[in-house]
């Protein structure tokens, strides 16, 4: 007689493995479209920027500078300050992220051990100790 | 002046593009994982307080699904889901409907006391809302539109009834299939 299924018995494993493969395939196709949009957009913006810089290096700039030197200088200074603030903000964000990951790494082992005491069958997310995607899970 | 402004505009736009498609995307994945971890911790605390047994199948299933979402949070996006659902045949969709996470959870939760059953249902609702939220906020294009994420936030914050409706549509749209993939991923971790 066939064994009655356990209540927590996982569904059809082969089917689940099939869905995982199918999802990975779908994700691969989607990632091609995403990459095209992401990199294509950046490339298009870069060509526009290059065009603008070429224009800036040409005759129009010389004519414009004569109009109001103070205005240009003010514009350049404010742009410089804005860029400096943006760079500092991004750097600050990256440092904070590093700090957060250090904290995760420091705390996760202890939490895992404490939770394991209460639930010996405790399952894990499978992320790295720093809470990052495992290299083999990256596309 | 026009040339200088134009150059500054395009360079700023390229930086904005990088921030949106690289930094923001990483941030949104980290945020999603953090929120899913918090939900998983909340469920652990409930089990620790004796409200749901640790070894109950519904607890294990839900935890595995949460683990799966945490693990493949970086792959969660609308386009992948659309391709995934399109790649499933009718038989697979039917199988998921009959044997997927929802069906298994319903079956498992039947043996729980009323209060615990409600809790399991609530954790599942929250898990699905987090996933739906990530699909909107995690997409740089949708996030940049601002309006859609703002409307979604308002619905979730002020209208839980609407949130339940979203969940129903989400299940029809492909939530059940996503849950199944997450569960499989969580169980294989």
């Amino acid at each position: 007689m066939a064994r009655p299924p356990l209540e927590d018995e996982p569904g059809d494993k082969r089917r689940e493995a099939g869905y995982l493969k199918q999802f990975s395939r779908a994700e691969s196709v989607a990632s091609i479209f995403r990459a095209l949009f992401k990199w294509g957009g950046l490339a298009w913006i870069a060509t526009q920027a290059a065009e603008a810089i070429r224009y800036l290096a040409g005759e129009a700039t010389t004519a414009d500078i004569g109009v109001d030197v103070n205005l240009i200088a003010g514009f350049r200074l404010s742009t410089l300050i804005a860029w400096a603030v943006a760079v500092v903000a991004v750097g600050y964000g990256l440092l904070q992220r590093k700090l957060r990951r250090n904290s995760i790494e420091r705390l996760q082992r202890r939490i895992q051990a404490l939770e394991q005491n209460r639930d010996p069958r405790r399952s894990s997310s499978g992320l790295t100790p720093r809470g990052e995607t495992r290299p083999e899970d990256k596309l | 002046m026009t040339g200088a402004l134009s150059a500054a505009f395009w360079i700023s736009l390229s930086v904005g593009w990088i921030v949106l498609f690289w930094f923001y995307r990483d941030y949104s994945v980290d945020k999603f994982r953090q929120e899913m971890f918090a939900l998983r911790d909340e469920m652990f605390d409930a089990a620790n307080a004796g409200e749901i047994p640790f070894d109950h199948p519904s607890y294990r299933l839900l935890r595995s699904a949460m683990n799966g979402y945490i693990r493949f949070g970086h792959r969660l996006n609308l386009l992948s889901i659309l391709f995934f659902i399109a790649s499933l045949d009718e038989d697979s969709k039917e199988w998921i409907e009959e044997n997927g996470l929802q069906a298994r959870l319903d079956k498992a939760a039947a043996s729980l006391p009323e209060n615990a059953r409600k809790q399991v249902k609530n954790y599942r609702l929250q898990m699905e809302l987090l996933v739906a939220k990530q699909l909107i906020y995690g997409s740089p294009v949708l996030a940049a539109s601002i309006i859609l994420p703002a409307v979604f936030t308002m619905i979730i914050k002020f209208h839980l009834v609407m949130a339940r409706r979203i969940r129903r549509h989400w299940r029809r749209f492909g939530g059940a299939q996503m849950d199944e993939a997450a569960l499989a991923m969580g169980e294989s971790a």
Side-chain angles (χ1 to χ4, degrees):
Chain A
M1 200 174 87
R3 173 180 66 83
L6 294 171
E7 244 187 334
D8 65 343
E9 187 178 60
D12 187 338
K13 283 278 174 199
R14 219 174 44 194
R15 261 189 193 262
E16 285 187 352
Y19 291 144
L20 273 186
K21 261 192 203 157
Q22 230 164 320
F23 185 74
S24 293
R25 242 176 276 140
E27 168 61 15
S28 302
V29 177
S31 71
I32 294 170
F33 282 94
R34 277 204 316 273
L36 275 176
F37 186 77
K38 205 162 85 169
W39 288 102
L42 191 62
W44 181 75
I45 293 169
T47 54
Q48 295 300 313
E51 194 119 319
I53 289 167
R54 252 202 310 274
Y55 176 77
L56 189 65
E59 56 201 70
T61 316
T62 346
D64 280 345
I65 285 170
V67 175
D68 192 341
V69 174
N70 287 334
L71 186 70
I72 303 269
F75 167 72
R76 280 188 183 156
L77 185 66
S78 65
T79 308
L80 199 70
I81 291 170
W83 276 100
V85 170
V87 168
V88 169
V90 169
Y92 173 77
L94 290 174
L95 283 175
Q96 283 288 346
R97 183 170 75 170
K98 194 172 170 239
L99 193 65
R100 179 172 53 79
R101 290 194 169 149
N102 287 347
S103 302
I104 291 171
E105 193 171 26
R106 181 170 52 82
L107 293 171
Q108 64 90 26
R109 216 163 293 143
R110 171 191 282 210
I111 293 169
Q112 214 169 323
L114 287 170
E115 287 190 358
Q116 204 97 47
N117 283 338
R118 299 291 301 143
D119 176 17
R121 286 173 66 197
R122 177 190 184 278
S123 56
S124 157
S125 67
L127 295 182
T128 68
R130 290 176 67 75
E132 292 167 301
T133 306
R134 287 207 298 216
E136 65 266 33
D137 285 347
K138 285 181 185 160
L139 270 176
Chain B
M1 190 62 193
T2 320
L5 271 176
S6 175
F9 169 78
W10 289 110
I11 292 168
S12 303
L13 193 66
S14 65
V15 173
W17 192 268
I18 290 168
V19 168
L20 195 63
F21 283 91
W22 277 268
F23 291 117
Y24 174 76
R25 177 75 193 146
D26 283 356
Y27 162 77
S28 77
V29 170
D30 279 356
K31 189 171 182 286
F32 167 70
R33 283 177 170 158
Q34 162 62 31
E35 286 172 346
M36 197 60 90
F37 269 127
L39 184 64
R40 201 188 72 172
D41 287 351
E42 206 183 296
M43 196 170 74
F44 180 92
D45 290 343
N48 197 33
E51 291 162 22
I52 313 166
F54 275 122
D55 54 358
H56 196 273
S58 52
Y59 176 84
R60 301 247 151 247
L61 281 170
L62 215 45
R63 188 175 169 104
S64 286
M66 286 178 190
N67 281 337
Y69 276 126
I70 290 169
R71 187 174 164 186
F72 84 116
H74 62 294
R75 294 195 196 172
L76 209 56
N77 59 76
L78 273 177
L79 209 55
S80 304
I81 293 176
L82 290 176
F83 283 130
F84 176 55
I85 293 166
S87 72
L88 289 174
D89 55 22
E90 279 309 308
D91 175 53
S92 298
K93 283 181 187 164
E94 215 169 276
W95 185 87
I96 289 172
E97 204 56 43
E98 284 165 14
N99 305 286
L101 178 66
Q102 177 71 57
R104 284 157 70 185
L105 259 183
D106 285 346
K107 199 175 141 200
S111 61
L112 280 173
E114 178 64 24
N115 201 29
R117 209 164 40 232
K118 270 187 191 160
Q119 284 213 13
V120 166
K121 221 174 171 181
N122 185 41
Y123 286 126
R124 180 170 157 72
L125 170 70
Q126 287 190 54
M127 180 184 83
E128 288 181 338
L129 284 178
L130 281 181
V131 175
K133 205 171 103 179
Q134 174 60 9
L135 288 177
I136 293 173
Y137 296 151
S139 156
V141 178
L142 291 183
S145 74
I146 299 172
I147 296 165
L148 189 62
V151 169
F152 189 75
T153 305
M154 275 163 61
I155 288 173
I156 293 206
K157 282 214 167 131
F158 302 114
H159 301 284
L160 211 62
V161 181
M162 275 295 286
R164 291 209 174 93
R165 267 188 212 157
I166 289 176
R167 183 190 168 220
R168 266 209 302 277
H169 289 300
W170 154 245
R171 283 191 50 70
R172 236 178 272 152
F173 176 69
Q177 287 87 340
M178 280 307 298
D179 286 347
E180 196 51 30
L183 182 63
M185 190 77 88
E187 284 179 338
S188 71

